Amino acid sequence: MTCTIVINGQPHTVERGTSVAAALAQAGFFRRSVSGKPRGPLCGMGVCFECRVQVGNNKLVRACLVPCEDGMEIQT
Amino acid sequence: MLGASRRTDQNELTRHDTIVIGAGIVGAACAFRLAGLGQRVLVLDPNMPGTGATAACMGHIVIMDDSAAQFALCQYSRKQWLELLPRMPKNCELSRCGTIWVAADEAEMQAVQQKEQRYREAGIACEVLDNGSLRAQEPNLHPDLAGGLLVPDDLSVYPTNCTNWFLRNVEMRTAVKVVSIREGQVEDDRGNRYLADHIVLAAGGLSVQLLADLPISPRKGHLVITERAEGFCSHQIVELGYLRSAHQMQSESVAFNIQPRTTGQMLLGSSREFCGWDSSINRNIVRKMIERGIEFMPALAELSAIRIWTGFRPCTIDKLPLIGAWSAVPGLYVAAGHEGLGITTSLGTAELIASAISGRQPAFDPGPYLPSRATERATETAS
C-alpha cells in the first residue's frame, strides 16, 4: 500500500506508514537553517526538534513522529 | 621583566602584565580593554570562551535604573556598545530592537512617567506609549495593557560570539582550571604557575571557589526559545514588574520578558530561583513563565517551544557587581557578581578595571562597585 504526499509542491509516493522524516530523506529534501544549511533528524525520537517541518496549515511538526497520510502537504 | 614571555622552570609557564581568570563576557571585555592599552594579557578558563552564564542569557543590552549606581554603569556601558557596534561582525547578531517596558495598569503607568523623567534627565532617548500607541508598536500584546515606555537605543546581541570577538587578539588558554591566587601568580590544578603583575578574577558565580569571602550566589533562570515566527514582535518587551521580580530575594519569581532573535525565533523569559547549582529544568516554574507570557501576549499560545535551558546569574546582595581591587591580595582585582546585567555592563566593568590597573581616571565613579563594601559589611556583622 502506498500514499502520495506533496513536499514543497512536488508529489512523492511512499509506503503507507512511512514517517515524514523518512519520506523527506527518501525524496532528498532537508529543512534549511536560517543561514541556508541543511538540517535533518538527529535523535529520530522527538527530542531534538531538528527535523521540524510544516505540515498542512502552517502547523509545525517533528517529522520523525508523524506518519505520512495521503495528500499531506509538507513544507521544509 | 614585564612584557616578555619566558620559561623559567618546568611549572612556571608564563609572565604577563595581567592574567584574567574567566573567559565569560566580563573577563573577555576586561582583557579586550587592557590589550587595547598595550598590555600583554593572558586569559585562563577551564572551558571555551563565553560558555557559562554568557551563553545561557538573553543578550539584552539594556539601561536599568534600579539604583543610581546601576543606572550610571548601564549608561556608560551601552554607550560603549553603541560605539563598538559598527566594528563587530555579523555573527554577533546585533539588533537595534529597543526595549518596551510594559505597564499593565494605571499604577504602573505612573511608574512609566517617573522612569521617563529619569531617563530624559540623563539624556537617554525614550517615549511614553499609551494604550493605542503600544498596540500600534506591538499588535500581539494584550489589548488591555495600559501602555509602556519605549527605549529605542537598547539592543540585543549574541553574547558568546561577542565574547569571542573581544578575545580575537588576546592570548587565551582553555582547559586551565585555576585553583589558587597569590600576589603576582596563579596556579592551576596541574601545579602550573602563571606570573603577572595584575590578576583579574572574572569567573562569575564560580569566583567564590577562589575567594570564599565574595558574597556571590547563583540565581537560576530558565529561557524558552520558540520556532521561527518572524514579526511576532519587533522589540524586546519586558513587563515593568520585572524589577519587582528581580528584587524579591527569597522566593522564586517569574516576569514576562520576550526578545525577537535575528533568526526570527522568540526568546521567552524569565524566572529567578535560589536553588544552588542544580541545573535541572523546573517544569512548574517554566509553566508559570509561559503562562505569564501568554497573559501579556495571548498569541504566544500558538507558538511551539523548541528548546528550554537554564543558567545561573551571579547574584550579589545589593544588586551591584563587585568591581575593583581586592585589598587582601596586592595586585588582585575582582570583576564578578553582575547578576542579570553582565552582558550590558561588561564594558563599563572593563573601563573600571582598566582604569584601576593603569592608574587612569575612570570615566565614572568606581566607588559604588568596590568589592571592599563586601568585606566591610562582613566586619560590621562580626563586631
Side-chain angles (χ1 to χ4, degrees):
Chain A
M1 279 287 278
T2 59
C3 66
T4 299
I5 58 173
V6 181
I7 307 174
N8 295 348
Q10 296 178 26
H12 289 272
T13 303
V14 296
E15 287 294 320
R16 196 170 288 276
T18 304
S19 72
V20 170
L24 289 167
Q26 286 170 22
F29 282 92
F30 295 95
R31 176 174 80 82
R32 297 281 165 177
S33 74
V34 279
S35 54
K37 303 220 172 80
R39 292 284 185 267
L42 178 69
C43 71
M45 58 184 194
V47 174
C48 74
F49 279 76
E50 282 301 302
C51 67
R52 57 191 189 271
V53 292
Q54 288 176 3
V55 167
N57 257 350
N58 239 11
K59 194 170 180 303
L60 190 85
V61 303
R62 284 161 282 178
C64 66
L65 297 183
V66 177
C68 291
E69 288 169 19
D70 215 24
M72 188 181 256
E73 290 192 22
I74 300 157
Q75 289 284 328
T76 63
Chain B
M1 187 174 61
L2 268 186
S5 180
R6 63 190 168 97
R7 189 175 287 265
T8 49
D9 67 47
Q10 206 181 352
N11 283 353
E12 205 162 284
L13 290 175
T14 57
R15 173 173 282 279
H16 289 80
D17 296 332
T18 299
I19 287 172
V20 178
I21 302 166
I25 197 152
V26 172
C30 291
F32 170 70
R33 197 62 177 265
L34 288 163
L37 293 174
Q39 285 217 341
R40 275 178 46 81
V41 181
L42 174 66
V43 180
L44 303 174
D45 198 293
N47 298 308
M48 299 295 286
T51 51
T54 300
C57 69
M58 284 183 128
H60 186 201
I61 311 290
V62 56
I63 291 188
M64 288 184 60
D65 58 347
D66 208 8
S67 63
Q70 184 187 64
F71 197 35
L73 183 60
C74 287
Q75 277 179 78
Y76 176 83
S77 298
R78 195 188 72 177
K79 198 157 151 265
Q80 295 293 302
W81 276 103
L82 290 168
E83 280 172 22
L84 280 178
L85 290 188
R87 292 165 54 194
M88 297 182 82
K90 192 163 176 262
N91 74 357
C92 291
E93 295 185 11
L94 314 163
S95 166
R96 300 289 294 263
C97 58
T99 304
I100 293 178
W101 295 92
V102 175
D105 50 31
E106 284 312 314
E108 287 193 351
M109 274 310 278
Q110 289 188 2
V112 159
Q113 304 285 355
Q114 290 161 5
K115 199 174 177 70
E116 188 221 10
Q117 194 182 345
R118 267 194 307 277
Y119 279 41
R120 281 210 186 282
E121 281 168 7
I124 298 160
C126 61
E127 182 188 339
V128 173
L129 306 174
D130 62 14
N131 168 279
S133 44
L134 180 67
R135 291 183 68 182
Q137 293 277 359
E138 293 291 351
N140 276 323
L141 278 172
H142 194 285
D144 293 343
L145 292 165
L149 185 71
L150 169 63
V151 185
D153 296 329
D154 284 351
L155 53 143
S156 68
V157 297
Y158 186 57
T160 299
N161 286 347
C162 295
T163 303
N164 282 310
W165 186 76
F166 287 148
L167 291 172
R168 70 200 184 288
N169 295 323
V170 175
E171 190 178 342
M172 162 88 211
R173 293 192 189 200
T174 56
V176 173
K177 183 173 169 52
V178 171
V179 293
S180 72
I181 303 172
R182 281 192 293 158
E183 182 177 353
Q185 73 170 54
V186 306
E187 190 170 328
D188 72 15
D189 59 355
R190 283 165 295 189
N192 297 314
R193 283 178 293 167
Y194 306 82
L195 309 180
D197 290 350
H198 315 283
I199 297 161
V200 179
L201 178 57
L206 295 170
S207 300
V208 294
Q209 293 179 350
L210 289 162
L211 276 188
D213 291 344
L214 288 177
I216 303 176
S217 48
R219 198 174 193 187
K220 182 161 135 184
H222 291 75
L223 286 176
V224 171
I225 194 152
T226 72
E227 62 186 295
R228 288 179 221 158
E230 283 88 352
F232 184 83
C233 70
S234 54
H235 302 81
Q236 176 128 9
I237 309 172
V238 189
E239 67 168 291
L240 205 65
Y242 182 88
L243 288 176
R244 216 164 34 232
S245 164
H247 258 306
Q248 289 166 4
M249 293 297 286
Q250 305 303 327
S251 58
E252 58 179 47
S253 62
V254 300
F256 169 63
N257 188 342
I258 193 169
Q259 178 190 78
R261 297 300 309 173
T262 56
T263 57
Q265 296 171 288
M266 299 298 132
L267 188 52
L268 178 68
S270 60
S271 74
R272 284 168 196 268
E273 291 169 86
F274 287 109
C275 54
W277 290 95
D278 170 12
S279 64
S280 62
I281 287 171
N282 177 342
R283 289 173 182 279
N284 188 40
I285 207 164
V286 170
R287 183 186 300 115
K288 284 185 194 162
M289 204 171 93
I290 292 174
E291 283 169 358
R292 188 75 180 157
I294 291 170
E295 282 175 32
F296 280 82
M297 296 189 106
L300 259 179
E302 308 299 317
L303 298 184
S304 292
I306 61 171
R307 304 256 189 275
I308 302 173
W309 65 89
T310 60
F312 296 93
R313 306 173 181 90
C315 175
T316 63
I317 295 160
D318 58 7
K319 322 300 294 172
L320 287 174
L322 302 159
I323 308 167
W326 186 257
S327 54
V329 182
L332 175 61
Y333 299 81
V334 173
H338 294 70
E339 192 164 353
L341 276 172
I343 309 305
T344 300
T345 57
S346 58
L347 290 170
T349 302
E351 159 67 12
L352 296 179
I353 291 291
S355 301
I357 287 178
S358 66
R360 283 186 307 123
Q361 184 69 28
F364 55 100
D365 178 15
Y369 323 100
L370 291 175
S372 53
R373 73 183 192 276
T375 44
E376 278 158 16
R377 186 174 297 123
T379 315
E380 279 166 25
T381 313
S383 59

